[in-house]
Amino acid sequence: MINHETELKLQAYLDGELSPGEAKAVEDLTNRDADAWALFEELKLTKSLLAENELEVRLPESRGFYWSKIQRQIEREEKEQASEQTEAAASSWWLRFLAPAAALVALAVLVVVALRAPKGAETLVALDDSHEIETPLEETSSFSFQSEAAGMTVVWVDSHRE
Amino acid sequence: MSRKLDYPSAADDALVKAAQKADMQAFEELVARHRDKIYARAVSMMRNEEEAADLSQEAWVKAWQRLKQFQGEASFVTWMTRIIINLCLDQLRKQKRLRAESIEQLDEELGGVERQMPVVTPNPTERMERGELRQRIDEALGKLSCEHRTVLILHEFEELEYKEIAKRMQCSIGTVMSRLFYARRKIAALLAGWKREEFR
């Protein structure tokens, strides 16, 4: 019985996939081994039967109808592609201006905060009558803010202070 | 002033050049000329007419989109056939994920039933019309596993080399050789079996 490697060699010989040296060895084998020759003939006949007899199939749609489907799909995909490109262009425009705009806004906020920042503790106390800020002398690590108008009391405790 | 192209009588090359310049009428002529061949390849690989029609349509759309990449190394129809083959292979790969393949793989590793078969003479051409023979061969192809059928189509009908088939099917050359061998042996057995039935 022929081993699988030899079977594949016989097939490769048939398909012209062997080097001249290997082809010669397989040819010698088919000349002296009846089993190898029979298998080679079977493979050869099968190959030729297949090569010459592929079933002819026709598309069961008219030329006009088939083309109209293709054309519609081409147009649809072109539209989609165009809108994707527009979106991409728009987003890149935004991205181009987003970074400097953000920097400008941050700078403006910084300027406003700096201008409005309290100059000293007096400013904090100089609120209208409805507000009170208490800073107990013995406990300087806490402050309390009370507003009658807003009806709220807020106490700051500086836990990091020793 | 350039002469207007006579589409029905123009050669494929001229139509391709016109289509590359966005001439849709030239492309339509190419579709009309080769649509049956492209569809037939999809049918043989997918074994499903509806799926084949959808895939062949998709292949034409892709061809239009990539037409500028076509440099004319091979003929236009060969280039188109490669597109449909790749689409079918992608689709088969997707479907294969849903199927258990372990039995088949094991079968291949062990040598398969086909290896144990005695050598036959698959010559059903005697007393058989060509059309009938083609029908029989197609039926036999339908009885093969997807992997075996695909390798046979790519080798026998598309005349691709082992190396090229391995690349397209994403497997080793050894696997291609093995699959081709079992596919041929099974086809031989099926054709010989039909021949025996006829003489009975």
Side-chain angles (χ1 to χ4, degrees):
Chain A
M1 179 158 169
I2 313 164
N3 65 30
H4 191 43
E5 199 185 333
T6 308
E7 288 174 338
L8 296 185
K9 278 265 167 70
L10 281 167
Q11 176 179 250
Y13 171 61
L14 174 70
D15 294 329
E17 294 261 0
L18 293 183
S19 65
E22 285 176 312
K24 179 76 177 69
V26 174
E27 206 178 310
D28 291 345
L29 176 72
T30 54
N31 287 334
R32 66 170 189 271
D33 187 320
D35 288 345
W37 182 82
L39 178 62
F40 179 75
E41 285 299 308
E42 182 200 284
L43 293 170
K44 193 166 90 176
L45 189 54
T46 309
K47 183 183 168 80
S48 70
L49 275 174
L50 284 167
E52 294 156 15
N53 293 295
E54 187 180 8
L55 191 67
E56 281 178 7
V57 180
R58 290 190 167 276
L59 189 71
E61 287 173 8
S62 72
R63 175 174 173 162
F65 180 64
Y66 187 61
W67 170 247
S68 71
K69 288 198 296 181
I70 292 168
Q71 195 176 19
R72 270 203 306 275
Q73 201 179 330
I74 287 172
E75 284 166 359
R76 192 171 53 243
E77 291 196 11
E78 278 177 358
K79 264 185 204 161
E80 280 170 11
Q81 207 181 355
S83 91
E84 274 169 24
Q85 279 170 353
T86 312
E87 276 172 32
S91 66
S92 72
W93 184 89
W94 274 107
L95 285 173
R96 217 169 36 237
F97 289 96
L98 198 63
L104 268 175
V105 169
L107 191 66
V109 168
L110 205 65
V111 169
V112 169
V113 168
L115 288 173
R116 293 181 130 204
K119 296 274 188 292
E122 320 83 71
T123 322
L124 279 175
V125 186
L127 295 163
D128 63 63
D129 291 345
S130 62
H131 302 86
E132 270 181 37
I133 293 177
E134 282 181 24
T135 310
L137 288 171
E138 66 277 12
E139 189 54 62
T140 49
S141 59
S142 73
F143 303 87
S144 64
F145 168 79
Q146 191 172 25
S147 169
E148 278 179 19
M152 75 173 180
T153 304
V154 179
V155 179
W156 284 271
V157 178
D158 187 355
S159 60
H160 297 291
R161 191 157 178 168
E162 292 185 6
Chain B
M1 201 175 135
S2 64
R3 210 154 49 102
K4 196 172 171 355
L5 191 65
D6 179 28
Y7 298 106
S9 64
D12 276 8
D13 291 352
L15 291 170
V16 169
K17 274 185 188 140
Q20 282 174 328
K21 290 174 189 156
D23 183 341
M24 264 218 165
Q25 210 179 329
F27 189 64
E28 194 270 341
E29 180 62 34
L30 287 167
V31 173
R33 278 183 199 183
H34 304 297
R35 66 192 195 122
D36 284 335
K37 184 177 164 50
I38 300 307
Y39 170 71
R41 178 55 62 243
V43 170
S44 66
M45 288 181 77
M46 305 307 296
R47 311 300 295 179
N48 179 309
E49 289 178 7
E50 205 177 317
E51 221 173 348
D54 288 346
L55 286 169
S56 66
Q57 189 182 316
E58 201 182 325
W60 287 111
V61 174
K62 281 211 183 318
W64 171 259
Q65 291 164 344
R66 297 174 188 172
L67 209 52
K68 286 209 167 74
Q69 294 169 22
F70 176 69
Q71 302 293 319
E73 300 92 353
S75 71
F76 175 73
V77 72
T78 302
W79 183 69
M80 263 315 296
T81 308
R82 299 291 180 263
I83 294 179
I84 190 66
I85 286 172
N86 287 342
L87 282 174
C88 290
L89 287 173
D90 285 347
Q91 185 71 6
L92 290 170
R93 266 183 219 114
K94 275 184 209 162
Q95 292 173 352
K96 220 170 103 181
R97 279 187 212 128
L98 304 171
R99 257 178 35 191
E101 354 166 39
S102 54
I103 294 169
E104 195 164 77
Q105 278 178 346
L106 190 68
D107 210 16
E108 268 183 10
E109 281 159 23
L110 294 174
V113 182
E114 292 76 21
R115 260 211 85 201
Q116 319 303 324
M117 292 187 318
V119 172
V120 292
T121 312
N123 193 359
T125 47
E126 299 155 21
R127 299 159 47 135
M128 201 185 275
E129 293 287 326
R130 196 179 174 107
E132 195 188 345
L133 174 64
R134 287 182 169 183
Q135 195 63 47
R136 285 280 167 92
I137 287 174
D138 188 62
E139 281 171 35
L141 283 170
K143 290 188 192 311
L144 299 182
S145 73
C146 176
E147 292 84 357
H148 288 175
R149 184 171 50 249
T150 304
V151 84
L152 210 54
I153 288 169
L154 296 184
H155 193 272
E156 308 298 16
F157 300 151
E158 293 302 327
E159 297 175 358
L160 296 183
E161 292 178 353
Y162 293 169
K163 198 173 134 188
E164 185 66 21
I165 297 171
K167 198 172 120 189
R168 285 176 191 276
M169 293 186 75
Q170 298 172 7
C171 63
S172 68
I173 290 177
T175 303
V176 168
M177 290 169 79
S178 204
R179 284 177 177 171
L180 187 59
F181 180 77
Y182 298 132
R184 276 172 168 159
R185 295 229 63 202
K186 190 159 185 182
I187 289 276
L190 286 165
L191 293 175
W194 278 320
K195 189 191 170 196
R196 274 197 299 274
E197 274 172 31
E198 285 208 342
F199 283 100
R200 223 174 260 163

